[in-house]
Amino acid sequence: MKDEYVHLFVRRPVKRAPIINRGYYARWVALRKLLLQFLKSERHNNDNIQTKKQILSLGAGFDTTYFQLVNEGIAPHLYVEVDFKEVTSKKAALVERYSLLRDKVGPEASISIERGEVLSDHYKLLSADIRDIQKLDSIIGLAHLDPSLPTFIIAECVLIYLDPDSTHAIVGWAAKKFSTAVFFLYEQIHPDDAFGEQMIKNLESRGCPLLGIHATPSLQSKQKLFVDHGWQRAVAWDMLQIYNEFIEIQEKHRIERLELFDEFEEWYMMQEHYCVACAINDAEGLFRDFGFSKDPHISSQSQKLHPLQIKE
Ligand SMILES: C[S@@+](CC[C@H](N)C(=O)[O-])C[C@H]1O[C@@H](n2cnc3c(N)ncnc32)[C@H](O)[C@@H]1O
């Protein structure tokens, strides 16, 4: 995938195995597809005024999506990133240092490495421990987020590292705050088979225990997490399904030729241990058809698969 910014965040590039790169690619496509759908969704009014949109990225790390969207001319009205200060300070320093990034946040941006902040009209980088709900709430004011605007919340490989009570609180807080919103979650599942146990051990040995994985070990439990904490509907897919059914065949042919591998058993297992969950609050009927559409070349059946679950 194209990312003209990620090299600025990497000190020593490491060449990963093809199987890992293909996994990253699938993850990138999954987020991209849903994000673009969100950015394109419009309120059904006749005034021809484009609906303002917001993105809130929790535990954003060194993610470069904001810079990519600006580059493509499709950035939302407001993009807010939150992480620990140790991370946001480093990100703020990189934004200050590299004009490629600084140009994208705009000339009016105020950057504080000490506070780990970048504040500009359309981009805010703020430090917070997202387990602190009061602090998370104050971010709304600090970042000038408007809870009435359509909001896409990203939590990519973040909530699974938190204790389940914190995850419940964050998911419930977001459901209550944002009435027209999509919550995008990407993280691990299936801790209880041999692959899952090894995955947990590997991350634990690197000091990153998956504190939340036993509370939501399956696709069903990820969906339940959201509907139990205030979201109108939710759906989860594993990454094997996303790769097999929702990525266009032509595109798969392209990337499969870039790096070859033959560890298919491992590929299937790896992809089955990661998932995307997507929760929706749709006060305005903006997201009626939201979700992945099936590649028509794969099956001629209905375009929309897996209608989002409606809470009873
Ligand atoms: C595995 S990284 C993922 C980064 C990014 N979302 C991505 O997908 O590239 C997890 C990130 O979550 C952040 N994080 C973890 N717990 C957090 C917390 N309690 N409050 C704020 N950020 C947190 C970490 O600092 C780290 O940047």
Side-chain angles (χ1 to χ4, degrees), residues 258-285:
L258 290 177
E259 289 189 320
L260 304 176
F261 66 73
D262 54 13
E263 307 106 312
F264 292 108
E265 271 307 302
E266 199 184 334
W267 166 250
Y268 297 141
M269 271 194 287
M270 193 177 93
Q271 293 306 92
E272 278 169 351
H273 283 78
Y274 285 86
C275 74
V276 165
C278 194
I280 286 181
N281 271 351
D282 198 8
E284 300 178 44

Side-chain angles (χ1 to χ4, degrees), residues 219-234:
L219 295 178
Q220 217 180 2
S221 58
K222 302 277 184 208
Q223 294 174 172
K224 196 167 176 312
L225 163 71
F226 288 101
V227 287
D228 282 356
H229 292 90
W231 288 82
Q232 283 175 345
R233 45 195 220 260

Side-chain angles (χ1 to χ4, degrees), residues 119-226:
L119 302 173
S120 76
D121 290 348
H122 301 290
Y123 174 75
K124 309 272 195 292
L125 173 66
L126 292 162
S127 71
D129 181 335
I130 58 172
R131 291 168 297 185
D132 180 347
I133 298 295
Q134 263 184 350
K135 177 81 187 158
L136 207 48
D137 220 26
S138 73
I139 295 269
I140 297 209
L142 287 172
H144 300 133
L145 278 158
D146 177 349
S148 72
L149 288 181
T151 305
F152 192 96
I153 301 162
I154 305 175
E156 221 183 332
C157 290
V158 177
L159 299 188
I160 200 83
Y161 294 104
L162 309 183
D163 62 280
D165 287 345
S166 297
T167 294
H168 296 167
I170 293 164
V171 166
W173 167 83
K176 225 187 275 164
K177 282 286 156 196
F178 299 99
S179 56
T180 302
V182 176
F183 197 119
F184 173 95
L185 181 93
Y186 171 90
E187 61 189 29
Q188 294 88 340
I189 40 169
H190 298 322
D192 295 321
D193 57 17
F195 188 100
E197 282 171 12
Q198 193 56 46
M199 175 175 81
I200 289 171
K201 267 193 213 144
N202 290 348
L203 284 160
E204 247 165 29
S205 71
R206 285 160 50 190
C208 317
L210 298 176
L211 299 181
I213 195 159
H214 291 290
T216 54
S218 61
L219 295 178
Q220 217 180 2
S221 58
K222 302 277 184 208
Q223 294 174 172
K224 196 167 176 312
L225 163 71
F226 288 101

Side-chain angles (χ1 to χ4, degrees), residues 243-258:
Y243 190 84
N244 285 346
E245 296 179 23
F246 305 138
I247 299 181
E248 294 71 20
I249 280 188
Q250 297 299 331
E251 182 58 0
K252 269 190 295 218
H253 284 170
R254 181 183 75 80
I255 69 126
E256 284 172 8
R257 279 198 297 259
L258 290 177

